[in-house]
Amino acid sequence: MALERTFSMIKPDATARNLTGKIVAKLEDAGLRVVASKRVWMSRKQAEGFYAVHKGRPFFDELCDFMSSGPTVVQVLEGEGAILKNREVMGATNPADAAEGTIRKEFATSIGENSVHGSDAPETAAEEIAYWFAGIEIVG
Ligand code: DAT
Ligand code: MG
């Protein structure tokens, strides 16, 4: 398996409950390394741009309102098979369907307020990393 980078975000519901450290510990315990990290309170426009792929879905407005409602922590994670590994540690989108031990099972409160984001493929990982980080901010 190749060394990969993926984009991760700790969402406003989780920063509000001071869960950043607990979430990062789960990612690190799974072998993922934080190679870039910053705290961002995104604007509604930034949220709409980031989630443009979901434009037109019934939950789009609610999603953009939520993502711009408070601080997030945006990160780049590096590791062997990092994209899939991060998705495994995150758990299913709906916490009711998430496996035991996953971040969403443990911390998410609803399908909308589900504590973390993670890229789903190499192309989206590259796009999402570039959306939030300049190359100079990533230190592998
Ligand atoms: P994921 O975040 O697991 O990649 P996604 O890309 O399908 O899930 O959706 C992006 C986010 O949109 C998701 O984390 C929470 C929100 N969302 C998705 N489906 C939803 C729904 N049915 N109701 C409310 N919010 C939803
Ligand atoms: Mg997604």
Side-chain angles (χ1 to χ4, degrees), residues 44-130:
R44 184 77 164 54
K45 280 258 174 295
Q46 282 177 306
E48 288 167 12
F50 181 71
Y51 280 113
V53 67
H54 295 301
K55 202 169 160 66
R57 301 260 185 101
F59 57 84
F60 183 72
D61 277 346
E62 180 193 326
L63 174 62
C64 294
D65 285 344
F66 168 59
M67 292 305 298
S68 56
S69 69
T72 66
V73 177
V74 294
Q75 300 187 310
V76 180
L77 307 177
E78 186 177 85
E80 294 290 321
I83 297 167
L84 190 59
K85 190 174 283 182
N86 182 39
R87 294 291 309 192
E88 285 170 2
V89 181
M90 287 166 59
T93 306
N94 187 345
D97 301 329
E100 280 306 323
T102 61
I103 292 168
R104 282 168 164 171
K105 175 72 176 184
E106 206 156 313
F107 302 124
T109 54
S110 68
I111 189 169
E113 304 201 359
N114 59 7
S115 303
V116 282
H117 167 88
S119 308
D120 58 12
E123 300 72 30
T124 48
E127 280 172 23
E128 292 173 359
I129 290 169

